[in-house]
Amino acid sequence: MKKDILMRLSEKNNGYLFTAEVLQNGISKTYLAKFVKENEYERVAYGIYSAPDIWPDELFILQKTNPRIIFSGETALYIHGLTDREYSKIEVTVPQGYNAVHLRKKNICVRSMRDKLYELGKSMAESIYGNPIIVYDKERTICNMIVDRKKRDIQLFQTAMKEYMSDSERKLPTLVRYAEELGIRDEVMKYVEVLA
């Protein structure tokens, strides 16, 4: 039955329905609209509906509507638990040439990076609601913090560095390799020697 398929899809996606996925399962937009209305789903973005009993997951929805963004900066620190302070603004990195006007209009901090460096440290993580999102790994996030240290809040920067250095899962060889590729090896080594 169509309703069962939609319930299963919603359950699989933590309470979200995606029009594209619904159509792939042979269900029409007309039936989807009827289901959404009857079950009080809310349209949270183009082609995305959320169940009435879930909190909208801002990062997940943003990722679904902009698959090329990678969460970075303070947003990545928060996702990785390298700060206990929630980000004041969502920060993302996009490949060079990506038109990010629509993101900037939403007050999202956007940084663009040439392709090779854009991909460096790209990884999957879970949002605070348990949904899959693309974020820079801890090592790339720390490198980015060191690059931007003069623009960052000193307390945030120090907390992130201490949290990373005391993390049992830290990967110092990866950190150093990224630092070399980003041209900041000497700066990174200063922190590693002091804090490690």
Side-chain angles (χ1 to χ4, degrees), residues 13 29 47 65 86-87 90 113 124 141 149 156 194-195:
N13 294 320
K29 282 185 179 180
T65 53
E86 194 171 351
Y87 48 89
I90 295 174
M113 190 88 13
M124 289 298 289
T141 300
R149 66 191 175 281
L156 176 81
V194 171
L195 295 165

Side-chain angles (χ1 to χ4, degrees), residues 120 143 173-185 188:
L120 187 70
C143 283
T174 304
L175 182 74
V176 173
R177 181 170 60 81
Y178 289 175
E180 281 169 357
E181 291 198 46
L182 292 163
I184 55 162
R185 189 180 193 280
V188 168

